[in-house]
Amino acid sequence: MRLGGVVAVTVKEADPAPSRVVDEQSERVGARIRELRRSRGLTLVQLAGRTGLSHPFLSQLERGHTRPSMVSLDRIAKALGSTQVELIAAGAPGLPDAESGRADVLRAGEGARNQFPNGEVRLLTRGRRAFDPIEWTGTSPEFGDYFRHSEDEFVHVVGGALLLDLEKDGTVRLDVGDSVYYPGGTAHRWCSPDGSRFHLVVVKQKLENA
């Protein structure tokens, strides 16, 4: 457009940058991690030092811009005096503690969950219960870091096959219908023998102070 010999240029306002939040659950988990970190009087840099995770990654995580692996979630939970299960449960939308003494049906599409590149973990109960049952699926053909936690743990293979590395006790293959129980403090990690999908039900002991 020409006005009085001057060319007027209409500048279109740029659209707002799209949200980088992965999803609402990731945002709620990140908010819970931030809440716990601040309640402990920790900065992001201090939390990074305690977990061995990078400061930028933790910043992205607290804003819901990324999802943690289960190993990363375990490190963060320990550094904050929490548990993986408690942090995952924070992602469920407004679920109060279940009433004691009453049955609670959880449908297939329900339950707090944590997705990661090679799998997903879904909590199979809501609220505070006597133990923590978890559905775990994955396809990773490589072992990650060892998990070590105070709770006893039971693992049952529902589908596929699993290679379970128990460090001092060696590696064992578990097929459909196989189970394993190990006491708290046992170092463990697992993967798929060939990259195909495994499907597990994992039951964690609930500690009195958890």
Side-chain angles (χ1 to χ4, degrees):
M1 180 185 300
R2 185 176 295 274
L3 298 174
V6 179
V7 177
V9 179
T10 301
V11 179
K12 182 180 180 181
E13 184 174 347
D15 294 331
S19 173
R20 296 177 60 190
V21 172
V22 176
D23 53 34
E24 291 183 359
Q25 178 146 310
S26 297
E27 191 171 25
R28 286 188 290 264
V29 170
R32 178 57 177 162
I33 291 172
R34 181 172 58 249
E35 178 186 13
L36 287 173
R37 173 179 63 79
R38 289 177 174 173
S39 72
R40 272 48 169 185
L42 297 173
T43 66
L44 276 171
V45 172
Q46 289 171 326
L47 182 59
R50 291 190 178 193
T51 60
L53 302 171
S54 74
H55 169 212
F57 169 75
L58 290 171
S59 177
Q60 292 286 311
L61 182 61
E62 286 194 356
R63 288 180 286 167
H65 294 178
T66 189
R67 295 187 181 104
S69 68
M70 291 301 287
V71 171
S72 295
L73 199 64
D74 184 55
R75 293 182 184 181
I76 294 167
K78 287 178 178 176
L80 296 176
S82 183
T83 66
Q84 288 174 314
V85 171
E86 194 271 340
L87 294 182
I88 294 172
L95 292 177
D97 288 345
E99 294 183 33
S100 176
R102 296 193 62 181
D104 182 43
V105 176
L106 187 76
R107 300 297 182 183
E110 300 175 340
R113 62 191 69 213
N114 183 48
Q115 295 176 324
F116 42 94
N118 295 305
E120 179 181 84
V121 165
R122 181 171 74 106
L123 305 187
L124 298 179
T125 57
R126 290 176 282 211
R128 294 186 179 276
R129 297 297 186 182
F131 52 86
D132 292 316
I134 301 166
E135 180 181 36
W136 190 312
T137 58
T139 59
S140 176
E142 298 181 356
F143 288 119
D145 295 339
Y146 284 105
F147 289 98
R148 290 181 177 85
H149 47 71
S150 300
E151 311 97 292
D152 285 12
E153 190 164 82
F154 169 83
V155 179
H156 178 72
V157 181
V158 178
L162 188 75
L163 281 182
L164 175 64
D165 179 4
L166 294 171
E167 193 179 37
K168 295 179 181 179
D169 293 330
T171 302
V172 61
R173 176 185 171 115
L174 300 176
D175 292 295
V176 175
D178 292 342
S179 302
V180 61
Y181 181 102
Y182 38 85
T186 301
H188 59 284
R189 57 183 182 174
W190 56 59
C191 68
S192 167
D194 55 9
S196 60
R197 181 176 180 270
F198 57 79
H199 184 185
L200 315 174
V201 171
V202 180
V203 181
K204 285 179 174 290
Q205 175 192 20
K206 175 74 76 172
L207 300 179
E208 291 185 3
N209 59 351

